[in-house]
Amino acid sequence: MTRLTGRALRLTVFIGEHDTWHHKPLYSEIVHRAHTAGLAGASVFRGIEGFGASSLIHTTRLLSLSEDLPVAIVIVDTEERVRAFLPQLDELVTEGLVILDDCEVIRYIGRDDTARDPDTKGKKSS
């Protein structure tokens, strides 16, 4: 069972939803690499409006097929684990914003492996 409480570091990556890495969504590559790196978790949030360094406003209100709405990937883990992940972002994020915030985790308890495996659901381990 995964537990994380106390001081932590929040990593937030702001990119466009159409940003890609080897023909797949960049946000997906970041999430998969965070998972492979053993980070506590990663979530992707799609914005409804925003602008960045280009100063172009992207919004869901305009009828356009070329929307490139903002996407935020948020990862929270210990400072050491998050900082160890930063070199991967240097490789992946060529346009965007990467920020770090100190935070305090009040409660984070992950499921144990038996809760994820439908074959063992409801069975007690010996």
Side-chain angles (χ1 to χ4, degrees):
M1 186 171 300
T2 304
R3 292 179 183 268
L4 175 66
T5 56
R7 294 195 51 154
L9 200 59
R10 176 177 51 201
L11 167 67
T12 307
V13 181
F14 295 95
I15 57 173
E17 72 176 331
H18 289 157
D19 292 346
T20 60
W21 177 259
H22 296 274
H23 308 292
K24 76 185 254 190
L26 178 57
Y27 60 82
S28 181
E29 181 67 18
I30 293 170
V31 167
H32 284 88
R33 287 195 186 195
H35 183 262
T36 300
L39 293 170
S43 297
V44 178
F45 301 94
R46 182 176 186 240
I48 58 172
E49 188 168 28
F51 73 92
S54 71
S55 294
L56 296 173
I57 293 180
H58 304 278
T59 178
T60 58
R61 290 182 292 149
L62 300 175
L63 295 175
S64 170
L65 295 177
S66 63
E67 292 173 354
D68 189 20
L69 294 172
V71 171
I73 303 103
V74 179
I75 298 168
V76 176
D77 207 320
T78 64
E79 180 173 359
E80 296 77 22
R81 294 171 73 86
V82 170
R83 290 197 183 276
F85 186 67
L86 292 178
Q88 293 201 51
L89 292 181
D90 286 340
E91 174 189 359
L92 295 171
V93 180
T94 57
E95 292 181 2
L97 174 66
V98 177
I99 62 173
L100 295 171
D101 298 302
D102 289 321
C103 63
E104 183 177 356
V105 176
I106 303 301
R107 181 176 174 88
Y108 172 78
I109 301 173
R111 297 182 204 142
D112 62 16
D113 290 338
T114 58
R116 294 179 192 188
D117 184 354
D119 292 335
T120 60
K121 192 171 185 177
K123 296 179 184 175
K124 292 185 179 182
S125 56
S126 312

